[in-house]
């Protein structure tokens, strides 16, 4: 797999970076955080106008026909600015699950609206007991004539704030396997509770108390939704990993600049060999994480499902832990100022802590890797 950017991808990367550098400085982001919103509608519309929301959607439904690599490029640059708008939750997780599961009619009805930013769709798959794993689903869909009644709870729904609808994973009574259904956000019996995360982003917890949805809300065939759900989550996991790599890059740059201007004993502390060694360790962690992301992209494109799932879990585990190390060291090298809310570097660590737990924690994915390795070795 060639990991050199094409000329079009380079232009895409440059456009997102220019936006982040110009419009998403620390003061602008802080103002959004204090407003209590999950980003701004104006920024989301700008994402749509620049083609970032449609980059990896099929051309026949209003997209640009790009690939996961395009989403990764966008997410890496957004991660450098700790962008709050729900690119991961709405433009990747939900959109790619719809691409994998939806019928042509369902895609034609919804994907153009996702592409132009006029409609937001979120993926509600995680539950309190699932630890981010897609195959653990307790939410029930009870058949009632030509419709379904939903009962249960979904937690940590990314991009749910301001979403008009949800893709919900459920078990239909009398049907084996997991099904996916479209649910309007204002359905009777649906309770939405917005919850802030440690990094300032927001999620929702959804409670379904007899929410009625029609039979045509079913995405794909009943009981056959796990494959599509895993496809959407694979895209989302690598996009989250790319976001963390962008955060590590920016942490390294900010820390290196600080070491050049901070002085002790009349000299910049960047001259101290011990601090140079720590910076070198941070850079090595970043490059290992970047290589792991490339390996996961290659595996997703070329390997059979067992190998893809193992490599994906390895990437989530390694990159999540690397981000906590690099961003944590950034705080350490800044000293006391790095601990304050009024300084940039601590916010990267907060994002790393939250992201390490999203879509399955590093410990959960490490256990999945170990189980896959035991199967390979016949242990």
């Amino acid at each position: 797999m060639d990991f050199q950017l094409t000329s079009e991808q380079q232009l895409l990367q440059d456009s997102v970076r220019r936006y982040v550098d110009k419009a998403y400085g620390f003061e602008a982001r802080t103002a959004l955080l204090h407003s209590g919103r999950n980003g701004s509608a104006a920024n989301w519309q700008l994402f749509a106008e620049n083609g970032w929301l449609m980059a990896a959607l099929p051309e026949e439904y209003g997209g640009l026909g790009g690939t996961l690599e395009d989403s990764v490029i966008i997410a890496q640059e957004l991660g450098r600015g700790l962008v709050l708008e729900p690119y991961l939750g709405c433009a990747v997780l939900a959109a790619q699950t719809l691409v994998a599961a939806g019928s042509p009619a369902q895609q034609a009805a919804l994907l153009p609206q996702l592409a132009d930013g006029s409609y937001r769709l979120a993926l509600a798959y995680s539950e309190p007991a699932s630890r981010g794993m897609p195959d653990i689903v307790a939410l029930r869909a009870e058949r009632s004539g030509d419709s379904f009644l939903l009962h249960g709870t979904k937690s940590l729904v990314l991009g749910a704030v301001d979403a008009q609808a949800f893709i919900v994973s459920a078990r239909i009574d009398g049907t084996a396997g997991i099904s996916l259904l479209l649910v309007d956000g204002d359905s009777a019996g649906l309770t939405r509770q917005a919850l802030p995360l440690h990094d300032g982003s927001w999620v929702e917890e959804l409670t379904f108390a007899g929410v009625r949805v029609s039979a045509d809300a079913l995405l794909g065939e009943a009981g056959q939704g796990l494959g599509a759900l895993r496809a959407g989550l694979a895209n989302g996991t690598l996009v989250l990993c790319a976001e963390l790599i962008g955060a590590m890059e920016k942490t390294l740059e900010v820390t290196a600049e600080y070491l050049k201007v901070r002085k002790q004993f009349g000299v910049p502390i960047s001259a101290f060999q011990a601090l140079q060694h720590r910076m070198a360790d941070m850079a090595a962690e970043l490059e290992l994480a970047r290589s792991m992301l490339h390996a996961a992209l290659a595996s997703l494109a070329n390997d059979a499902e067992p190998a893809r799932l193992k490599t994906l879990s390895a990437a989530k585990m390694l990159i999540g832990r690397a981000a906590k190390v690099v961003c944590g060291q950034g705080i350490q090298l800044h000293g006391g100022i790095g601990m304050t809310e009024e300084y940039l570097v601590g916010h990267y660590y907060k994002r790393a802590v939250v992201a390490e737990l999203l879509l399955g924690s590093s410990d959960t994915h490490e256990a999945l890797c170990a189980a896959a390795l035991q199967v390979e070795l016949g242990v």
Side-chain angles (χ1 to χ4, degrees):
M1 191 175 216
D2 184 7
F3 293 108
Q4 295 295 319
L5 298 183
T6 65
S7 58
E8 292 82 4
Q9 290 173 333
Q10 187 66 60
L11 288 172
L12 175 62
Q13 183 185 61
D14 291 344
S15 71
V16 184
R17 182 167 297 192
R18 282 196 303 270
Y19 162 78
V20 170
D21 290 343
K22 180 179 179 181
Y24 232 98
F26 181 62
E27 292 78 10
R29 182 180 186 274
T30 300
L32 283 176
L33 279 175
H34 290 166
S35 72
R37 294 183 297 173
N38 204 13
S40 78
N43 286 344
W44 190 252
Q45 193 56 45
L46 185 61
F47 287 13
E49 292 171 2
N50 287 332
W52 304 340
L53 303 183
M54 63 181 72
L57 297 181
E59 289 185 80
E60 60 266 34
Y61 302 121
L64 297 179
T67 66
L68 174 57
E69 291 180 58
D70 298 310
S71 299
V72 161
I73 291 168
I74 294 168
Q76 185 170 327
E77 297 307 314
L78 296 181
R80 290 173 59 89
L82 294 176
V83 169
L84 294 168
E85 283 71 27
Y87 179 76
L88 169 63
C90 296
V92 180
L93 281 172
Q96 292 302 320
T97 302
L98 180 61
V99 168
S103 66
Q106 289 166 329
Q107 293 186 49
L110 293 176
L111 287 180
Q113 297 181 74
L114 301 184
D116 66 18
S118 62
Y119 195 76
R120 295 197 196 185
L121 185 65
L123 175 64
Y125 85 98
S126 182
E127 299 183 3
S130 71
R131 298 185 179 182
M133 296 297 99
D135 52 341
I136 301 175
V137 176
L139 190 140
R140 293 188 302 108
E142 175 188 342
R143 296 184 186 273
S144 176
D146 59 353
S147 60
F148 301 100
L149 296 177
L150 305 185
H151 304 270
T153 301
K154 294 295 181 181
S155 59
L156 280 175
V157 183
L158 300 173
V161 177
D162 297 327
Q164 286 101 324
F166 302 97
I167 296 176
V168 178
S169 60
R171 294 190 182 275
I172 297 175
D173 289 350
T175 302
I178 293 168
S179 303
L180 299 176
L181 299 111
L182 280 170
V183 180
D184 288 336
D186 58 357
S187 298
L190 174 61
T191 302
R192 302 170 59 169
Q193 181 180 6
L195 300 169
L197 300 182
H198 184 56
D199 62 349
S201 61
W202 289 75
V203 296
E204 283 188 354
E205 181 173 283
L206 309 180
T207 302
F208 299 81
V211 174
R212 184 179 295 274
V213 296
S214 62
D216 59 10
L218 183 67
L219 295 175
E221 297 182 19
Q224 302 298 313
L226 183 58
L229 184 54
R230 280 182 169 156
L233 289 171
N235 279 261
T237 298
L238 291 189
V239 162
L240 180 59
C241 289
E243 180 191 328
L244 289 177
I245 286 172
M248 284 188 272
E249 286 179 351
K250 190 65 175 181
T251 297
L252 209 61
E253 293 172 11
V254 168
T255 304
E257 187 61 32
Y258 178 77
L259 296 185
K260 292 176 184 177
V261 299
R262 177 73 168 88
K263 291 185 178 182
Q264 283 186 344
F265 311 111
V267 298
I269 61 175
S270 60
F272 300 163
Q273 191 175 55
L275 301 190
Q276 293 173 4
H277 289 171
R278 290 175 74 173
M279 286 292 292
D281 289 342
M282 292 165 66
E285 289 282 354
L286 170 59
E287 291 309 313
L288 283 171
R290 200 191 311 275
S291 296
M292 190 69 242
L293 176 62
H294 291 170
L297 283 168
S299 180
L300 207 62
N302 300 307
D303 293 340
E305 184 178 60
R308 290 201 308 268
L309 293 176
K310 186 182 77 170
T311 307
L312 197 65
S313 287
K316 180 61 169 65
M317 173 187 68
L318 187 148
I319 296 172
R321 290 175 175 172
K324 287 179 66 176
V325 169
V326 170
C327 298
Q329 284 296 306
I331 292 177
Q332 291 287 322
L333 290 173
H334 277 79
I337 194 175
M339 298 292 293
T340 64
E341 286 289 317
E342 293 75 18
Y343 201 75
L344 175 64
V345 71
H347 293 269
Y348 286 98
Y349 182 71
K350 287 184 178 182
R351 180 56 182 165
V353 169
V354 169
E356 195 259 346
L357 298 173
L358 296 178
L359 308 183
S361 69
S362 293
D363 289 345
T364 298
H365 282 285
E366 184 176 36
L368 291 174
C369 284
L373 187 59
Q374 286 180 318
V375 171
E376 288 181 10
L377 298 176
V379 176

